[in-house]
Amino acid sequence: MRVVIFCHSLVSDWNHGNAHFLRGVVRELLARGVEVQVYEPRHPWSAENLVSDHGRRALTAFHRAYPGLRSIRYDLSALDLDRALDGADLVLAHEWNEHELIRRLGEHRAAHGGYRLLFHDTHHRSVTDADQMAAYRLEAFDGILAFGRVIRDLYLANGWTRRAWVWHEAADTRRFRPMPRVAPGGDVVWIGNWGDGERTDELREFLIEPSRALGLRTTVYGVRYPRPARDALARAGIEYAGWLPNYDVARTFARFRVTVHVPRRPYAKALPGIPTIRMFEALACGIPLVSAPWDDAEDLFTPGEDYLVARAGNEMREQLGRLLLDRELAARIAGNGLRTVRARHTCAHRVDELLRIHRELDDGAQEAAA
């Protein structure tokens, strides 16, 4: 089997969480003997920012951490789809691609056939920027892989596709796992980007103020923190440590006793059932987690057992205090979350789902041709 993937970037996770899941899926496919080729633009903004901030050594470090992962850089004007898709069985195109690439893929599929073509959406733009999403030409695609039921339903209701499946993100448990030999050195860690004002108030309420009030040893990792945000962290006694390569996250979680989940406002308000991928990764690492409000409408986890919930800032202070004082409670919550991820939310589970969808499409095509 040959799988071809078009994405924004495989090599860079600078403000690009989609790379996390993609890497895990590619690694799982390769482990099963599937031939995989990944295409990314020659100058993706995520990699350009990564190199600008940390130099090309950051890309070298990625290849050292993931020796089996490679991508093909392309210029869209010179991309030869006949060559790229020769012998392909399944083609995935992520939604963070140029509209022209998606159009050309659809035209190639319509003209040549012979493979299944799926559009992969892991963003909130179907709600927050519907015009941009409606501009993608998906008529020749076999369907949509949506990372939540509400996204799937939007594609169908808006007539953007005829077929759509829920394909949640998940943890690459080869990379994200407990590291009990690493000694904790801090209380709370949060790994996430400041973003575009989509959770500024939430971070103050659920992270900064509880840490300040409890006097916790808290460290924050991420990018795009403006000066006022960094100043607010400093006033609360929180260390800001900048970008953290995703391949170092498991070891970093192991150095702290608790983490928190603070979803961006579009997910908390308009897209129930979709956590950030960091929640899957944190639970896979066996660290107890407290989440700001989000609606687990698809029953991915069991709130109160796999993680604790804080509906307001005062509850976040209480829940963090409980986990830091009660080691038995912390171990139970962490153990529950870890078991749930391993049982239901690994990249191996998602590859199983992807291959089932591919077989379903192939079987349907054979029946239609009979």
Side-chain angles (χ1 to χ4, degrees):
M1 182 177 188
R2 181 167 185 257
V3 176
V4 180
I5 298 173
F6 292 88
C7 65
H8 173 72
S9 183
L10 178 74
V11 302
S12 176
D13 54 46
W14 191 99
N15 198 49
H16 180 49
N18 307 125
H20 304 190
F21 180 53
L22 175 63
R23 292 168 182 172
V25 168
V26 172
R27 275 154 58 91
E28 181 63 30
L29 286 168
L30 290 172
R32 300 185 187 199
V34 175
E35 179 187 349
V36 184
Q37 282 193 324
V38 179
Y39 285 81
E40 63 179 83
R42 188 170 301 282
H43 301 291
W45 54 256
S46 178
E48 295 289 287
N49 280 286
L50 178 61
V51 171
S52 176
D53 285 356
H54 300 280
R56 298 198 66 81
R57 65 183 183 277
L59 301 183
T60 301
F62 161 80
H63 289 298
R64 190 164 53 245
Y66 292 103
L69 297 191
R70 291 289 184 271
S71 59
I72 299 169
R73 296 286 187 94
Y74 69 87
D75 295 306
L76 186 55
S77 61
L79 179 62
D80 184 345
L81 286 181
D82 286 342
R83 180 176 180 181
L85 303 179
D86 183 36
D89 298 291
L90 174 62
V91 180
L92 302 182
H94 191 263
E95 52 84 21
W96 209 257
N97 273 302
E98 296 289 339
H99 287 79
E100 182 184 348
L101 173 66
I102 301 304
R103 177 186 60 79
R104 287 180 57 189
L105 285 170
E107 290 174 352
H108 190 278
R109 172 70 169 80
H112 298 276
Y115 57 86
R116 303 297 155 213
L117 177 61
L118 296 171
F119 189 71
H120 182 206
D121 192 335
T122 60
H123 202 265
H124 58 66
R125 288 192 298 162
S126 57
V127 170
T128 59
D129 197 355
D131 289 344
Q132 278 289 319
M133 301 310 295
Y136 283 114
R137 300 298 301 273
L138 303 175
E139 296 88 348
F141 280 65
D142 290 291
I144 306 299
L145 301 174
F147 77 148
R149 190 164 58 212
V150 64
I151 302 292
R152 178 202 64 187
D153 292 349
L154 278 170
Y155 272 88
L156 294 170
N158 289 331
W160 296 341
T161 186
R162 295 185 302 276
R163 304 188 71 176
W165 298 265
V166 176
W167 200 44
H168 279 288
E169 294 179 313
D172 175 4
T173 49
R174 289 182 175 87
R175 175 66 59 179
F176 295 93
R177 62 190 188 280
M179 294 188 173
R181 295 184 180 179
V182 177
D187 295 320
V188 178
V189 63
W190 190 70
I191 306 171
N193 304 320
W194 189 263
D196 300 305
E198 295 170 324
R199 55 182 167 198
T200 300
D201 293 340
E202 290 83 354
L203 287 172
R204 289 196 176 99
E205 180 179 3
F206 292 99
L207 176 67
I208 296 174
E209 283 306 308
S211 295
R212 182 198 60 78
L214 294 173
L216 301 179
R217 297 170 298 169
T218 299
T219 300
V220 166
Y221 293 89
V223 300
R224 301 180 67 203
Y225 281 70
R227 172 58 62 183
R230 299 196 301 271
D231 289 345
L233 294 176
R235 286 193 299 271
I238 296 172
E239 177 188 4
Y240 172 60
W243 174 70
L244 179 69
N246 204 44
Y247 52 77
D248 281 343
V249 163
R251 185 171 298 277
T252 300
F253 276 139
R255 293 176 39 239
F256 291 86
R257 297 172 58 194
V258 181
T259 191
V260 297
H261 172 240
V262 185
R264 296 175 187 268
R265 199 170 304 122
Y267 295 111
K269 301 295 184 182
L271 298 172
I274 303 175
T276 68
I277 192 170
R278 192 68 75 193
M279 188 166 184
F280 295 109
E281 293 170 346
L283 297 184
C285 290
I287 184 172
L289 181 147
V290 186
S291 179
W294 73 286
D295 181 7
D296 189 0
E298 299 185 45
D299 298 321
L300 298 174
F301 305 103
T302 304
E305 295 184 18
D306 295 332
Y307 62 92
L308 298 183
V309 179
R311 293 167 295 182
N314 63 323
E315 289 191 5
M316 180 62 78
R317 291 196 301 272
E318 294 172 4
Q319 300 288 42
L320 289 174
R322 290 178 65 202
L323 289 172
L324 291 169
L325 288 173
D326 189 338
R327 292 182 180 271
E328 182 177 328
L329 172 65
R332 184 169 71 250
I333 293 295
N336 290 342
L338 176 60
R339 281 188 290 274
T340 295
V341 167
R342 287 178 171 174
R344 301 172 56 194
H345 304 306
T346 71
C347 286
H349 290 103
R350 300 302 182 257
V351 166
D352 286 342
E353 295 165 8
L354 178 64
L355 297 180
R356 281 198 297 271
I357 291 168
H358 181 255
R359 288 194 298 271
E360 176 185 332
L361 289 167
D362 269 358
D363 291 346
Q366 291 172 9
E367 290 175 5

